[in-house]
């Protein structure tokens, strides 16, 4: 019994720390899912209604450019909702030059004055309070906005080590000067790999680093069991693939990590002038922001959803609250149109935790997997093109509600 209580207390404490970090802080200043994959996987049309987890809000704006009927952006963390609200308000009220400074460079001089005059009144009460307190520090301080938030602190430490300890900045810069993956791979293997690889393994083996990036201890254990090695070794693999298979000069995720800002020719779609104009002219109005979890939103709103974007939060639910994983899928089934599609990611190489979930369809109990038709070939093809390399697998599933 002593061992049981030790494990229970350790897991409970870790869970409390994790919850405290992520419900009391802005976690993501940007979205870490590659929307190029999602655009193909979702195949959005003007008739589609999308429910997605907000995260940094970048991909919400990316999907809005495809003109779906409605996007419901849902996140349990109110700070992520506040960030998306600020982006929407800035699109509506700022010109492109100011918007680029705010979210392209992550630094806007005189933020406080501009915020109070043009943005504050468009936000919800929580968001008003949050940005009134933190906006000037985040956008008009010494560090870029993209060095803020819990994940941003990890990125700051990474770059401090690259610059001051490992002395690798000149070689990092060269990654953006080459046009072929062969040249990039040579720079990495000759000048970066020896010093950078062991540091990255150590960094991503640390529980605090993982907590700050929204990976709780239970998910770490899940990943290590799945891959049969330490999580540091898993990140080793992913980082090697990132540096040697994904061209950096077109990778805005990598640019943000290493420079704390985007470039006009290397940035998310919503930060391009022509797309900013489209959003400003009305496409941004399709977005509705909600602070709650997926199940709560679906239970409290009488809406029909044709596309779901669940990121990797199913991993977390599968270890944190398996019962809620089942009830969330029931809510998804209840609100889905006949042609509904779900995409999600996992840190695991293969997801098995959905196998035991049962749902009710028209009064009949069924195994969830009997209601999902996976497009394995397309998902694997897209996963190989991912510019982030922080996930083990990618899934596209069609929800099959009606009998053939």
């Amino acid at each position: 019994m002593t061992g049981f209580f030790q494990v229970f207390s350790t897991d409970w404490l870790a869970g409390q720390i994790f919850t405290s970090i992520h419900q009391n802080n802005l976690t993501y200043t940007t979205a870490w899912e590659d929307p190029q994959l999602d655009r193909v996987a979702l195949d959005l049309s003007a008739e589609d209604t999308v429910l997605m987890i907000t995260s940094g809000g970048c991909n919400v704006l990316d999907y809005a450019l495809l003109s779906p009927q409605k996007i419901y952006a849902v996140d349990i963390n109110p700070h992520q909702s506040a960030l998306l609200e600020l982006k929407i308000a800035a699109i509506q009220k700022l010109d492109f030059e100011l918007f680029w400074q705010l979210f392209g460079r992550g630094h806007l001089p005189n933020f406080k004055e501009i915020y109070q005059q043009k943005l504050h009144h468009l936000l919800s009460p929580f968001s008003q309070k949050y940005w009134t307190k933190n906006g000037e520090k985040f956008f008009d301080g010494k560090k870029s906005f993209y060095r803020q938030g819990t994940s941003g602190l990890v990125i700051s430490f990474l770059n401090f080590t690259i610059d001051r300890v490992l002395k690798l900045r000149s070689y990092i810069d060269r990654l953006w000067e080459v046009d072929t993956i062969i040249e990039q791979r040579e720079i990495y293997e000759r000048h970066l790999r020896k010093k950078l690889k062991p540091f990255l393994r150590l960094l991503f083996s640390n529980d605090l680093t993982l907590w700050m990036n929204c990976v709780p201890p239970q998910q770490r254990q899940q990943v290590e069991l799945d891959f049969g090695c330490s999580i540091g070794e898993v990140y080793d693999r992913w980082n090697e693939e990132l540096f040697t298979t994904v061209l950096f000069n077109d990778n805005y995720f990598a640019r943000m990590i290493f420079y704390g800002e985007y470039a006009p020719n290397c940035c998310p779609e919503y930060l391009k002038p022509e797309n900013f104009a489209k959003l400003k002219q009305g496409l941004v109005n399709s977005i509705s922001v909600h602070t709650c979890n997926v199940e709560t939103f679906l239970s409290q709103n009488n809406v029909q959803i044709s596309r779901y974007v669940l990121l990797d939060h199913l991993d977390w639910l599968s270890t944190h609250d398996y019962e809620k994983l089942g009830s969330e899928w029931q809510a998804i089934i209840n609100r889905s149109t006949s042609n509904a599609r779900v995409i999600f990611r996992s840190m695991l190489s293969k997801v098995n935790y959905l196998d035991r979930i049962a749902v009710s369809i028209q009064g009949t109990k069924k195994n969830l997997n009997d209601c999902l038709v996976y497009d394995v070939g397309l998902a694997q093809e897209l996963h190989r093109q991912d510019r982030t390399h922080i996930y083990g697998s990618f899934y596209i599933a069609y929800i099959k509600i009606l009998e053939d």
Side-chain angles (χ1 to χ4, degrees), residues 133-391:
K133 179 180 178 181
N134 297 290
E136 190 173 20
K137 176 183 70 174
F138 280 4
F139 291 103
D140 197 8
K142 294 181 179 179
K143 295 195 300 182
S144 161
F145 170 65
Y146 295 109
R147 294 287 188 264
Q148 312 288 343
T150 59
S151 60
L153 293 177
V154 175
I155 292 171
S156 291
F157 178 68
L158 166 64
N159 281 278
F160 173 86
T161 306
I162 286 172
D163 292 340
R164 304 292 181 84
V165 181
L166 303 179
K167 310 289 187 182
L168 295 174
R169 177 56 61 181
S170 63
Y171 299 116
I172 293 291
D173 291 343
R174 285 176 58 185
L175 296 174
W176 272 268
E177 298 170 0
V178 298
D179 296 318
T180 69
I181 198 64
I182 294 174
E183 294 172 292
Q184 179 177 304
R185 188 181 298 128
E186 182 179 2
I187 293 170
Y188 173 71
E189 292 179 347
R190 288 184 61 185
H191 304 292
L192 293 171
R193 191 176 191 272
K194 184 177 179 180
K195 291 183 178 180
L196 192 57
K197 182 175 179 177
F199 167 67
L200 290 176
R201 177 187 288 199
L202 183 64
L203 180 65
F204 289 104
S205 296
N206 183 276
D207 275 335
L208 181 58
T209 298
L210 298 174
W211 278 337
M212 302 284 270
N213 282 284
C214 214
V215 180
Q218 298 95 325
Q219 192 174 3
R220 172 185 183 146
Q221 294 164 11
Q222 187 184 46
V223 170
E224 291 179 336
L225 183 63
D226 175 64
F227 281 91
C229 61
S230 71
I231 198 164
E233 292 173 288
V234 175
Y235 274 105
D236 254 0
R237 261 184 245 178
W238 293 344
N239 289 328
E240 285 271 307
E241 290 172 359
L242 178 65
F243 280 98
T244 61
T245 67
V246 181
L247 196 60
F248 272 35
N249 66 16
D250 186 37
N251 189 342
Y252 69 75
F253 298 99
R255 185 163 193 94
M256 190 280 295
I257 290 172
F258 291 111
Y259 295 104
E261 63 180 29
Y262 298 111
N265 64 344
C266 190
C267 64
E269 289 296 318
Y270 78 94
L271 284 169
K272 296 178 179 179
E274 64 275 17
N275 291 333
F276 171 81
K278 292 175 184 177
L279 291 166
K280 195 178 189 70
Q281 289 162 8
L283 291 184
V284 76
N285 298 329
S286 67
I287 300 168
S288 178
V289 184
H290 303 265
T291 301
C292 58
N293 62 37
V294 171
E295 181 184 355
T296 298
F297 174 81
L298 292 172
S299 300
Q300 295 180 354
N301 294 274
N302 186 21
V303 294
Q304 292 296 110
I305 305 296
S306 62
R307 298 291 186 270
Y308 295 88
V309 183
L310 302 180
L311 311 189
D312 68 329
H313 98 287
L314 300 180
D315 281 1
W316 182 79
L317 272 182
S318 72
T319 58
H320 180 74
D321 195 334
Y322 197 80
E323 184 177 338
K324 278 196 173 295
L325 179 64
S327 57
E328 178 176 303
W329 273 103
Q330 183 64 66
I332 289 171
I333 293 293
N334 293 345
R335 294 299 185 193
S336 292
T337 62
S338 59
N339 63 337
R341 193 179 309 182
V342 181
I343 66 171
F344 61 95
R345 291 163 166 85
S346 175
M347 288 186 72
L348 305 179
S349 61
K350 184 179 180 181
V351 164
N352 295 313
Y353 50 67
L354 299 182
D355 295 352
R356 294 183 286 119
I357 291 177
V359 293
S360 178
I361 298 180
Q362 300 173 350
T364 302
K365 207 80 167 175
K366 294 188 174 184
N367 184 279
L368 175 62
N369 281 335
D370 292 335
C371 308
L372 301 177
V373 179
Y374 290 95
D375 192 335
V376 177
L378 179 59
Q380 290 179 347
E381 178 187 345
L382 292 173
H383 184 57
R384 286 191 290 270
Q385 302 170 27
D386 190 354
R387 291 174 292 177
T388 69
H389 278 267
I390 59 171
Y391 293 111

